[in-house]
Every structure is written in C-alpha cells, then in structure tokens.
C-alpha cells in the first residue's frame, strides 16, 4: 500500500502571497484589461464561460494582446460558442486566430474542446478559472524586477541572472568565433 507523506506548505508562503498582493494592487498588468477572464463579457453566462475557456487555450505561448485580438475576431464572426466552433470550418478558425502561436494546432484543439463541451456538458464547461498577472509585471521571465519585489528575500531565484535566448551563442556562432 502506498502512503503519501503529509505535504507541507512552502516556507514563508504567507509572506510571499501578501507581498504579491501588495505589488499587484499598485500596478496593472495586461491580464487586468484583456486577460482570459475578460473574454466574451457581453455574452450570456454559458457562452461567456466557453469564451474564457477558448481564450485560455489560445493564451498559451501568446501575449495577452494577441490572444485578445483573436478572441475579438472570433466574437465578430459569432464563433465564441461550442455550437459555432463545432460547426465552423477549421480553416476559418485558423484564419481568425492567426497570429496566435501554434494557431493550426489550437484551431484543431478548439474543435475538440467544443465537441467535448457539447457532448458532456451541454455546450457549457465543468469549472471556472482563477486570475493570474504577477508574472507579467514583476516576476517576468526575461527581466524579473527583483529590486521592487516584496518577496525577493524568500525567492530562491531572486537577483540571479539568466541569459536571454538572444545572448546565448548558437553552435554556428560559437564555431565562427
């Protein structure tokens, strides 16, 4: 029989969450005005929940501004419901969501998600999403702002430099130099 050890919360987690709350209260992030949960705000609740799900799917590896544009194009073409996406041509969906990264794969997955939602949840979704934003304004992937971070004393990555992809020599460049 397999027994799980009791999981302990990370050290100082309460100070970390309070620091994040303080930082987020003083600065807006793109997610605050055009994040996934903003998708389809004018739609009825069932369609809005589905729009948030589609926005979340599109947001992976995409900036909020790009995702927001794709959602607006889908909305303008009445393609933000499970029924509409299920019936739509995948090529049309691809055109509307481009330039979202991996748009071909995401269009295919949108059709699959729509079908699942129709078959299992009457076109609705089974749950809701929580909100994000800290990683867009303070703890950013390329240039984290550790100097203004209220929890840098507790962060194992604080003030550690990581090279950006453009500063890392490629094999070809390394051979030439």
């Amino acid at each position: 029989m397999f027994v799980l050890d009791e999981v302990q919360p990370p050290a100082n987690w309460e100070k970390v969450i309070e620091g994040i709350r303080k930082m987020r209260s003083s600065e807006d992030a793109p997610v605050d005005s055009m994040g996934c949960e903003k998708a389809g705000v004018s739609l009825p609740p069932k369609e809005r929940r589905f729009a948030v799900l589609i926005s979340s799917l599109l947001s992976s590896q995409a900036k909020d501004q790009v995702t927001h544009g794709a959602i607006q194009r889908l909305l303008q073409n009445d393609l933000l419901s499970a029924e509409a996406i299920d019936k739509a041509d995948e090529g049309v969906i691809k055109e509307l969501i481009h330039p979202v990264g991996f748009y071909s794969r995401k269009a295919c997955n949108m059709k699959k998600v729509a079908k699942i939602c129709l078959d299992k949840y009457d076109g609705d979704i089974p749950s809701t999403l929580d909100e994000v934003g800290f990683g867009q304004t303070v703890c950013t992937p390329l240039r984290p702002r550790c100097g203004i971070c209220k929890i840098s004393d507790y962060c194992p990555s604080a003030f550690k430099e990581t090279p950006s992809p453009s500063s890392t020599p490629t094999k070809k460049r390394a051979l030439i130099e």
Side-chain angles (χ1 to χ4, degrees):
M1 184 170 154
F2 182 73
V3 178
L4 290 175
D5 291 332
E6 186 176 326
V7 177
Q8 297 295 318
N12 301 311
W13 73 269
E14 291 158 321
K15 291 179 182 178
V16 170
I17 196 72
E18 185 56 33
I20 290 172
R21 284 187 179 130
K22 284 180 183 174
M23 288 183 286
R24 286 286 291 128
S25 69
S26 64
E27 185 175 358
D28 285 340
V31 72
D32 297 323
S33 61
M34 60 183 76
C36 295
E37 79 279 359
K38 305 292 185 200
V41 292
S42 63
L43 297 172
K46 180 177 166 181
E47 286 81 9
R48 180 158 189 254
R49 288 189 295 272
F50 185 78
V52 170
L53 175 63
I54 293 302
S55 183
S56 298
L57 185 150
L58 294 176
S59 72
S60 177
Q61 302 295 309
K63 291 187 176 283
D64 284 323
Q65 297 87 333
V66 175
T67 301
H68 181 72
I71 289 296
Q72 292 307 307
R73 289 187 296 279
L74 290 168
L75 184 60
Q76 291 164 357
N77 287 274
D78 294 320
L79 286 177
L80 265 183
S81 69
E83 295 86 2
I85 289 177
D86 184 53
K87 292 177 185 173
D89 178 73
E90 194 172 311
V92 170
I93 295 172
K94 287 179 187 179
E95 289 177 22
L96 293 173
I97 66 172
H98 186 269
V100 168
F102 307 102
Y103 67 96
S104 291
R105 172 67 64 200
K106 289 178 181 179
C108 175
N109 287 336
M110 285 171 62
K111 300 273 293 173
K112 291 177 183 177
V113 165
K115 185 75 171 150
I116 291 168
C117 288
L118 285 169
D119 291 348
K120 294 187 176 186
Y121 305 103
D122 191 33
D124 207 342
I125 63 167
S127 63
T128 60
L129 301 171
D130 294 327
E131 51 181 55
V132 293
F134 177 68
Q136 293 181 324
T137 60
V138 178
C139 194
T140 58
L142 293 180
R143 290 180 186 85
R145 298 165 61 195
C146 301
I148 66 163
C149 182
K150 307 271 191 260
I151 58 170
S152 60
D153 291 344
Y154 314 108
C155 178
S157 301
F159 300 102
K160 292 184 180 169
E161 290 188 31
T162 55
S164 67
S166 61
S167 67
T168 305
T170 62
K171 288 181 183 179
K172 188 182 274 186
R173 186 182 303 158
L175 292 174
I176 295 172
E177 295 172 351

